[in-house]
Amino acid sequence: MTNAVIMRDDSTQNGQRIRIWDGPWVPNFSSYRVVYPRTLSPQVSMVSHLIDYDNNCWNVDLLIRIFLPFEAENICGLPLSNRFPDDKLIWAETSNGVFSIRSAYKVVMELDKDANNASVSDGANMRMFWRKLWKMQVPQKIRHFAWRAACDILPTKANLRLRHVLMDNVCEECGATAETFIHLLWECQRARETWASFKNFRILVPTHFRSFMDFLWFVLMEADWSSEDSAMAVSLVWTLRTHRNEVRHGGMRKNGKQVFLRCQHNMEEY
């Protein structure tokens, strides 16, 4: 189980005792550690080296230069204390940062449940997963899109309803179920018409994906595909989403084959 440096009173400490590359301080999904391999000199090794003390803010230019986009975004979202007190390593599973048997039991039960469901929560595997994603041979905008989709932060109708933006979350394409991201880009019959042209479609069909994260995990970590095939699968998701948005704003609807050929053309140009 992993402790994390999450500062009290919604503030971040001075960072002088937290190692950038080894310390559990970044609020990501599992390990609280950065994913990107270290690239800087030993002079930039502590979290304090990332802080602009004169202006009481993060050194944004440095963060963008050395971290993956989603890591830089998370770090920039950490508020800084005006007092810059000493760092504290606290328990991440309680709101007050204090370890309790009850919270530890909850973590153990969740880990056991995840293990039984072939979960992707293992920290080392998760770091490998993100590395593979950010190294995919696709345009940067597609990598960033895939990250947002995996985090389930794209504005699907299901997500917008949860935020009380919409009253209706039903898929406009099939009218059969809620428009989650995995439904929109994989389960919906309209999407399947496009996927049918993908050469590995028959491999995907028997697999049940609970979320787009599951889908992406299968493509990058489990499927024995070439890097070109994995890139094509992720690019196809992006093309499907782009086409859906175009139709929603008055664009011409294309059939599944046309959408696939558009994706293929874009990948050939890239």
Side-chain angles (χ1 to χ4, degrees):
M1 293 176 287
T2 304
N3 285 355
V5 180
I6 302 175
M7 305 308 167
R8 301 178 189 274
D9 301 323
D10 297 323
S11 62
T12 296
Q13 316 300 318
N14 58 36
Q16 294 179 1
R17 296 196 299 175
I18 309 172
R19 296 184 181 276
I20 295 174
W21 310 109
D22 303 316
W25 65 282
V26 180
N28 60 15
F29 297 102
S30 57
S31 67
Y32 292 93
R33 289 175 167 80
V34 294
V35 174
Y36 200 66
R38 65 191 72 190
T39 58
L40 297 180
S41 65
Q43 285 72 30
V44 182
S45 60
M46 309 302 288
V47 172
S48 58
H49 299 152
L50 306 175
I51 299 174
D52 180 349
Y53 287 97
D54 293 334
N55 297 302
N56 190 31
C57 65
W58 295 101
N59 187 332
V60 177
D61 291 338
L62 181 60
L63 295 179
I64 293 174
R65 181 161 60 88
I66 68 174
F67 293 109
L68 294 172
F70 79 95
E71 291 179 329
E73 183 178 346
N74 280 333
I75 295 169
C76 287
L78 289 172
L80 293 169
S81 168
N82 293 323
R83 299 178 291 108
F84 292 109
D86 291 337
D87 303 309
K88 294 180 180 180
L89 186 65
I90 68 173
W91 180 243
E93 302 302 325
T94 56
S95 59
N96 61 6
V98 178
F99 175 83
S100 69
I101 298 298
R102 181 178 180 180
S103 66
Y105 178 78
K106 181 179 178 181
V107 171
V108 170
M109 295 303 295
E110 289 176 349
L111 290 174
D112 183 65
K113 179 180 178 180
D114 287 343
N116 292 335
N117 293 323
S119 172
V120 298
S121 62
D122 178 74
N125 285 337
M126 185 62 80
R127 288 193 292 274
M128 182 184 298
F129 168 80
W130 290 120
R131 289 191 188 103
K132 285 187 174 184
L133 171 62
W134 291 106
K135 289 181 179 180
M136 291 188 68
Q137 295 303 305
V138 296
Q140 174 64 20
K141 63 182 178 181
I142 296 181
R143 289 194 292 268
H144 191 257
F145 162 83
W147 166 70
R148 295 182 67 208
C151 298
D152 197 23
I153 57 176
L154 290 172
T156 60
K157 292 183 72 175
N159 283 343
L160 291 174
R161 186 182 181 186
L162 287 174
R163 292 170 174 78
H164 307 289
V165 176
L166 296 178
M167 296 296 293
D168 171 32
N169 68 353
V170 177
C171 174
E172 297 171 5
E173 294 291 333
C174 66
T177 188
E179 186 197 81
T180 62
F181 194 78
I182 191 61
H183 172 79
L184 184 64
L185 280 309
W186 171 248
E187 296 172 346
C188 184
Q189 185 57 39
R190 292 279 190 180
R192 289 297 180 99
E193 293 172 6
T194 299
W195 282 105
S197 297
F198 181 54
K199 73 175 189 178
N200 291 328
F201 176 67
R202 292 183 180 274
I203 299 175
L204 291 170
V205 169
T207 309
H208 173 67
F209 303 112
R210 295 171 298 173
S211 64
F212 182 75
M213 181 66 171
D214 281 355
F215 174 92
L216 199 57
W217 184 271
F218 177 84
V219 169
L220 296 180
M221 301 292 287
E222 297 181 9
D224 187 21
W225 295 355
S226 66
S227 58
E228 290 78 12
D229 287 345
S230 297
M232 185 66 182
V234 175
S235 297
L236 190 53
V237 172
W238 182 84
T239 306
L240 278 163
R241 172 63 183 234
T242 300
H243 175 62
R244 171 62 183 277
N245 288 343
E246 290 172 349
V247 172
R248 180 170 285 173
H249 291 89
M252 182 179 296
R253 184 185 300 278
K254 298 179 174 62
N255 61 40
K257 183 67 174 180
Q258 290 172 322
V259 175
F260 179 82
L261 291 176
R262 175 182 177 182
C263 175
Q264 194 172 50
H265 175 72
N266 291 341
M267 288 299 292
E268 289 172 353
E269 285 193 338
Y270 178 75

